[in-house]
Amino acid sequence: MNGENCSSLTEFQLFGITNNPEIKMTIFIIFLVVYLIIFVANLGMIILIRLDSQLQTPMYFFLSHLSLADLCYSSAVGPKMLVDIFARHRSIPFFGCALQFFTFCIFTDSECLLLAVMAFDRYMAISNPLLYTVNMSHRVCSMLVAGVYLVGMVDALTHTILTFRLCFCGSNVINHFFCDVPPLLLISCSDTQINVLVIFTVFGFIELSTISGVLVSYCYIILSVLKIQSTEGRFKAFSTCSSHLTVVAIFQGTMLFMYFRPSSAYSPDEDKFASLFYTLIIPMLNPLTYSLRNKDVKEALEKLKNKMFI
């Protein structure tokens, strides 16, 4: 492989969502509104949890970091995507592309792991409520979150180094609206077998671990809930888990579809649609799911509103 061709590439061209001028304005307005909701809802959730004393519990501590992950990975993709809808030249510098993917990968991995940690937290709260605050102390919660971000950084660094050391000696047009591994591998003229193997091995391990963690936690949760005598108690226990299960099902289902398809089944259009769903739609739905179905969050919002207008 010609080393000069590899090193001479200074930028990529992003194909974007669409080149159809008739629907550009509609798409721009829709996703601008979606991104504004993401920004306001997730940032609002983080601030609300920090300000309200009743939300100073492990569950909301993890939820604030879930909102942070949603905000960060959607912001790594959303603003650039919106700008490119009307841009004549949808270029992104080589190192800018690497940085975008690195940031995106850290926080998607973190969200994936956080969902498993949150399932474990719900198990601890339901199975032994009297010792919940002792077992899930602030130190324990901080260590769990630190481990989540550490794994995310190691995985992101691994994929970033392996992907951006490849040769791109042909076309520099990425058939996508952001820098992601599958479309980058398609335009590389290097052997990408190692990259594909690492995606299936490392990311597969993360997915398998988190899904297994969620399933095991909820098996124990169900067993614990069945021991509760009162119907009201059972309903309350299940209601605290319903929002989390909804988020897990949507996020993990989309991620499995994105990264665990055989290469023969890869379709750029399907990939863009799925990517739009988990980079923008899911970060918008998460805070709405937790706030609209959560009594504590509703009460905290009401108290904050009363303080602001007194």
Side-chain angles (χ1 to χ4, degrees):
M1 188 61 59
N2 192 327
E4 185 180 349
N5 287 337
C6 296
S7 60
S8 61
L9 183 66
T10 59
E11 65 178 22
F12 291 103
Q13 298 290 328
L14 294 168
F15 186 83
I17 299 176
T18 181
N19 283 325
N20 187 341
E22 295 179 0
I23 62 173
K24 280 186 176 182
M25 181 57 73
T26 303
I27 289 176
F28 178 81
I29 292 171
I30 290 172
F31 287 108
L32 177 62
V33 171
V34 167
Y35 180 71
L36 289 175
I37 293 172
I38 291 170
F39 188 84
V40 172
N42 283 290
L43 186 61
M45 184 71 78
I46 293 168
I47 294 171
L48 185 67
I49 291 170
R50 292 291 185 268
L51 292 179
D52 195 282
S53 58
Q54 289 189 338
L55 300 182
Q56 302 302 308
T57 64
M59 183 177 80
Y60 293 107
F61 175 75
F62 295 129
L63 182 56
S64 69
H65 284 278
L66 185 73
S67 291
L68 177 65
D70 282 333
L71 182 60
C72 289
Y73 78 72
S74 60
S75 295
V77 175
K80 172 64 176 169
M81 182 201 75
L82 290 169
V83 169
D84 283 348
I85 290 175
F86 293 110
R88 294 184 64 184
H89 302 287
R90 299 166 180 168
S91 61
I92 183 170
F94 183 87
F95 290 107
C97 188
L99 181 61
Q100 184 188 52
F101 172 73
F102 180 71
T103 305
F104 172 78
C105 190
I106 286 176
F107 290 103
T108 48
D109 279 353
S110 298
E111 175 150 341
C112 190
L113 293 163
L114 272 170
L115 292 172
V117 171
M118 291 171 75
F120 174 72
D121 171 69
R122 289 298 81 213
Y123 162 67
M124 296 298 290
I126 292 171
S127 65
N128 201 341
L130 295 178
L131 293 176
Y132 174 56
T133 54
V134 176
N135 293 332
M136 297 298 290
S137 64
H138 184 71
R139 181 173 177 271
V140 171
C141 293
S142 298
M143 289 176 64
L144 286 170
V145 168
V148 162
Y149 288 128
L150 180 62
V151 173
M153 287 186 68
V154 171
D155 185 45
L157 189 62
T158 302
H159 289 303
T160 303
I161 291 172
L162 287 175
T163 301
F164 289 91
R165 64 185 287 274
L166 296 173
C167 290
F168 300 95
C169 46
S171 172
N172 70 335
V173 178
I174 302 172
N175 191 1
H176 213 310
F177 58 88
F178 77 102
C179 296
D180 198 9
V181 170
L184 280 165
L185 296 184
L186 286 178
I187 64 171
S188 172
C189 49
S190 300
D191 185 358
T192 60
Q193 287 185 357
I194 293 177
N195 298 72
V196 173
L197 181 63
V198 170
I199 288 174
F200 274 89
T201 304
V202 179
F203 194 68
F205 175 76
I206 292 173
E207 280 290 301
L208 182 63
S209 301
T210 53
I211 293 173
S212 300
V214 169
L215 291 176
V216 170
S217 295
Y218 273 99
C219 285
Y220 280 109
I221 286 171
I222 291 169
L223 291 175
S224 298
V225 169
L226 292 176
K227 295 177 183 178
I228 299 174
Q229 299 299 321
S230 67
T231 305
E232 183 182 351
R234 289 183 182 181
F235 177 78
K236 184 178 179 182
F238 276 124
S239 65
T240 60
C241 301
S242 59
S243 299
H244 179 257
L245 275 174
T246 302
V247 172
V248 169
I250 295 172
F251 183 81
Q252 297 288 12
T254 309
M255 295 298 283
L256 288 171
F257 173 79
M258 278 293 301
Y259 295 103
F260 289 91
R261 289 173 294 168
S263 57
S264 58
Y266 181 82
S267 166
D269 291 333
E270 285 183 1
D271 190 53
K272 287 180 191 178
F273 179 78
S275 296
L276 279 171
F277 190 77
Y278 81 85
T279 56
L280 292 173
I281 305 302
I282 289 177
M284 178 188 70
L285 293 177
N286 283 354
L288 298 178
T289 301
Y290 279 104
S291 60
L292 294 176
R293 302 179 67 177
N294 191 297
K295 182 181 176 182
D296 294 334
V297 173
K298 288 179 182 178
E299 289 178 355
L301 282 169
E302 191 66 30
K303 284 194 297 182
L304 184 62
K305 185 175 71 173
N306 293 335
K307 285 180 182 179
M308 290 177 64
F309 291 102
I310 286 177

